Amino acid sequence: MTDLQRDLRAAVDELIGSGAERGVQVAVYRRGELVADVVAGVADPETGRPLTAGTPVYAASTGKGVTAAVIHVLAERGALDYDMPIADVWPEFAAHGKEKATVRHALTHSTGVPGVPVGTTPEDLCDWDRMCAAIAAAAPWWEPGTRFGYHAQTYGYILGEVVRRVTGRRISQVLRDEVAEPLGVAGELFFGVPEPDLGRLARLEDAAPAMEMPAEMLARIPFFRVVDGYTAAPMAAMPDAAFGNRADVLTSDIPAGGTMTARAVARMYDALLDGTLVSPRRLRELSSVAVEGVDEVAGNSAKMGLGYAVGLFGLGPTVFGMGGSGGSAAFADTATGTSVGVMKNLVSAGDFGTAERIARIALRED
């Protein structure tokens, strides 16, 4: 057992033993080699089914990094260009002055369309055509490319519809064909999960009951504001455990999120680093800061590359990746050639303590 494997095992066992987590997977690749693969706890707290390294977990916005990887693979093959106007392949998207919004703007949360209709339900999110029509018809909150703000749900539909228009295939199919199967992780990296695989998935559990806030308090939080009947955070479709356990959500393409194992998503980031999926030049571009400043939706300061947060968890400018609202994360460090996946099934909304702790162990110098 390597020192890294031992230290990660100790940290994960402590998290499970203390009750801070229910089930945790950690995988670390370094320059093409799986150097740590740790799993502990249960996949289903009701049945006691153990979590294994091959148990997929719904990981919310950690999936945005997977969506970005699909875009970069298609760009590498010449199927699309970052500066291509979205309306060139999706004419309906040009409505209300969005004709200049580009794929680059979508990757950097800069299209100005962060919202979905305020009454959006999980059933709506499962209806691809309905969501794409609503997003195409939306008036932008700002001129595309002039500001950026977290596109919590629209990110996946905008980029996913671009993928569908340029390839003729759903983004889940492109992920399988162009990324997951070539990397040997086709059974562990999904947008829409095939129905026969649902029984393999981890069951999510909320770490704490949802906090009730009066409408006037919500209205003062930028993330929950409503503009012309659209909001970035529809209250009926928040990504809590109930949302992430729904069969219709899990089997649908909602590529602002994803379902994966830690080792599958770590392998994907490793393939971005090692030249398997993209060229070194493209890796430098996608992992470098493209926009920075105050996020117009979330209200925090942020630095974004092309589909990734740069300096995730304050780990430095060479680290890029994405975290999910339940506390999962996946990222890579171009300086050390290290990629990391952290999956967990206790949904701790906005709390990345486990992922940050694992990251600091995984990215240390040997």
Side-chain angles (χ1 to χ4, degrees), residues 1-365:
M1 182 182 294
T2 65
D3 289 347
L4 178 60
Q5 177 86 8
R6 183 198 64 221
D7 291 349
L8 287 171
R9 166 58 63 191
V12 169
D13 285 348
E14 180 187 329
L15 288 163
I16 298 298
S18 69
E21 297 293 352
R22 189 74 69 195
V24 177
Q25 298 168 341
V26 178
V28 181
Y29 274 83
R30 190 164 293 155
R31 298 187 176 91
E33 180 184 358
L34 182 63
V35 295
D37 192 7
V38 174
V39 61
V42 296
D44 187 336
E46 290 188 3
T47 67
R49 173 167 56 96
L51 189 71
T52 72
T55 304
V57 184
Y58 179 72
S61 289
T62 301
K64 287 184 172 68
V66 181
T67 299
V70 171
I71 294 292
H72 298 313
V73 167
L74 292 177
E76 187 73 21
R77 298 180 183 179
L80 56 81
D81 182 86
Y82 299 139
D83 294 314
M84 176 186 79
I86 294 165
D88 280 6
V89 295
W90 183 6
E92 299 89 340
F93 191 80
H96 302 294
K98 302 194 298 296
E99 67 277 357
K100 293 182 180 179
T102 66
V103 173
R104 187 184 301 274
H105 294 151
L107 286 166
T108 56
H109 301 257
S110 303
T111 67
V113 193
V116 296
V118 69
T120 295
T121 65
E123 291 86 354
D124 293 329
L125 294 177
C126 295
D127 186 333
W128 185 267
D129 291 338
R130 180 186 183 94
M131 294 309 302
C132 287
I135 291 165
W141 293 10
W142 60 81
E143 181 183 345
T146 61
R147 288 178 272 174
F148 75 99
Y150 192 57
H151 288 39
Q153 289 292 358
T154 60
Y155 175 96
Y157 294 106
I158 294 170
L159 290 171
E161 184 65 0
V162 168
V163 168
R164 190 183 73 83
R165 299 276 177 141
V166 301
T167 69
R169 292 173 287 164
R170 293 178 293 112
I171 190 171
S172 56
Q173 294 175 299
V174 178
L175 172 64
R176 182 193 63 207
D177 297 344
E178 310 293 343
V179 179
E181 285 187 350
L183 297 182
V185 296
E188 299 182 17
L189 189 63
F190 304 103
F191 292 125
V193 177
E195 191 168 343
D197 286 302
L198 288 177
R200 299 173 46 222
L201 271 53
R203 294 286 297 176
L204 305 185
E205 179 183 3
D206 287 315
M211 185 171 61
E212 297 288 339
M213 286 189 286
E216 58 272 18
M217 183 179 295
L218 282 174
R220 292 196 294 269
I221 300 173
F223 192 61
F224 293 98
R225 67 176 168 164
V226 177
V227 178
D228 295 329
Y230 281 66
T231 179
M235 295 304 296
M238 298 301 286
D240 57 10
F243 179 89
N245 286 331
R246 290 178 61 125
D248 57 349
V249 167
L250 292 165
T251 56
S252 297
D253 281 350
I254 307 176
T259 301
M260 64 203 74
T261 65
R263 67 186 180 187
V265 72
R267 175 68 184 106
M268 186 206 79
Y269 276 90
D270 179 64
L272 290 174
L273 292 178
D274 72 8
T276 299
L277 292 180
V278 298
S279 67
R281 178 194 64 79
R282 194 172 302 279
L283 172 63
R284 287 193 296 272
E285 182 173 14
L286 69 88
S287 61
S288 298
V289 176
V291 297
E292 63 180 306
V294 176
D295 184 303
E296 293 286 333
V297 174
N300 59 284
S301 294
K303 296 180 180 181
M304 292 296 302
L306 299 186
Y308 304 99
V310 177
L312 188 70
F313 304 145
L315 293 169
T318 60
V319 174
F320 69 98
M322 284 299 296
S325 60
S328 65
F331 49 90
D333 181 7
T334 59
T336 63
T338 303
S339 63
V340 183
V342 183
M343 296 296 118
K344 55 198 255 0
N345 60 347
L346 192 63
V347 176
S348 49
D351 181 355
F352 291 97
T354 290
E356 291 184 36
R357 179 177 177 183
I358 296 302
R360 284 175 168 76
I361 297 171
L363 296 181
R364 71 184 184 193
E365 293 289 336

